[in-house]
Amino acid sequence: MTDYVGTAPGVRELAALTITKASVGPMDNNSYLLRCRATGAQLMVDAANEPETLLKLCGGRLDAVVTTHQHHDHWQEGLADVVAATGARTYAGAPDVAGIAVPTDVPLQDGDVVRCGDVALEVIRLTGHTPGSVALLYDDPAGDPHLFTGDSLFPGGPGRTTNPTEFDSLMTDLETKVFGRLPDETWFYPGHGRDGTLGKERPAIQEWRARGW
């Protein structure tokens, strides 16, 4: 899936989980559909745009939607319609809930667990791009970890911040909660563009710190 570009969905099959990635809307937001292979339960990460595309992707059936952060492009043209059509339960980082017009059923805290059928996804707060940005970690017992990072981490560096305090907060969280904990083989899936591995990015951490963005 790392070479995925464009609008056709990309698919990664894991032992217990299927990950389907689609690019939607004018800002090419990534929406990820996670399906538990044992139970058929489905969870979407960022129902960002093109609700008709997303509803087709999930077959009109969805148990949960996790919004990674409050920025409008990650929810404003898709979330309300997808939730209305499927009845999916909504999740977002607690500090960002007020910035999302669609009601959040479950405000998330660092360390919470969101379930997709038999699959457990750990919530990792990454504060800086927004106050309540969250990543979701699937620590695959049959393989490598998989991390959905929203706009907090991309191939090439951290997500956008607007001042040195936010940048330091995001970098510290990335260094301690992501790179300091997870192995090089971890796949990560950002809110825009291509996915990648932590190992490819790890050598550049000090360069990111030095440049300040």
Side-chain angles (χ1 to χ4, degrees):
M1 195 192 296
T2 190
D3 293 327
Y4 166 83
V5 291
T7 57
V11 179
R12 175 163 283 143
E13 296 278 0
L14 308 179
L17 187 70
T18 298
I19 302 168
T20 305
K21 174 182 181 180
S23 175
V24 294
M27 297 186 69
D28 289 326
N29 289 79
N30 290 330
S31 293
Y32 299 95
L33 179 67
L34 280 55
R35 181 177 61 83
C36 172
R37 299 184 69 171
T39 68
Q42 297 192 131
L43 177 149
M44 187 169 288
V45 180
D46 287 342
N49 210 311
E50 299 181 29
E52 65 285 351
T53 298
L54 300 181
L55 289 169
K56 182 178 180 181
L57 191 70
C58 70
R61 184 182 57 78
L62 199 58
D63 299 285
V65 180
V66 177
T67 302
T68 58
H69 63 289
Q70 65 180 309
H71 286 163
H72 287 180
D73 59 307
H74 288 260
W75 59 265
Q76 68 175 347
E77 298 296 339
L79 182 60
D81 288 350
V82 167
V83 169
T86 64
R89 195 163 176 81
T90 55
Y91 299 75
D96 276 12
V97 165
I100 301 171
V102 180
T104 298
D105 296 318
V106 184
L108 296 171
Q109 306 291 345
D110 196 33
D112 282 352
V113 173
V114 178
R115 300 204 67 87
C116 177
D118 291 344
V119 171
L121 303 163
E122 180 187 343
V123 176
I124 299 176
R125 174 79 58 76
L126 299 173
T127 302
H129 182 66
T130 67
S133 290
V134 295
L136 293 177
L137 172 64
Y138 173 51
D139 195 359
D140 186 357
D144 301 320
H146 295 259
L147 183 69
F148 301 86
T149 58
D151 285 0
S152 291
L153 178 66
F154 296 94
R160 181 183 63 84
T161 52
T162 60
N163 59 59
T165 300
E166 291 176 352
F167 175 76
D168 179 68
S169 175
L170 179 55
M171 281 299 302
T172 298
D173 278 355
L174 287 171
E175 288 175 294
T176 58
K177 297 180 180 181
V178 175
F179 288 97
R181 171 186 175 188
L182 299 173
D184 286 351
E185 295 77 16
T186 302
W187 283 98
F188 72 93
Y189 305 85
H192 307 265
R194 295 182 175 182
D195 47 289
T197 62
L198 294 187
K200 185 174 182 180
E201 305 304 319
R202 193 183 300 275
I205 291 174
Q206 293 309 309
E207 176 189 339
W208 301 346
R209 274 284 189 185
R211 74 190 187 192
W213 57 272

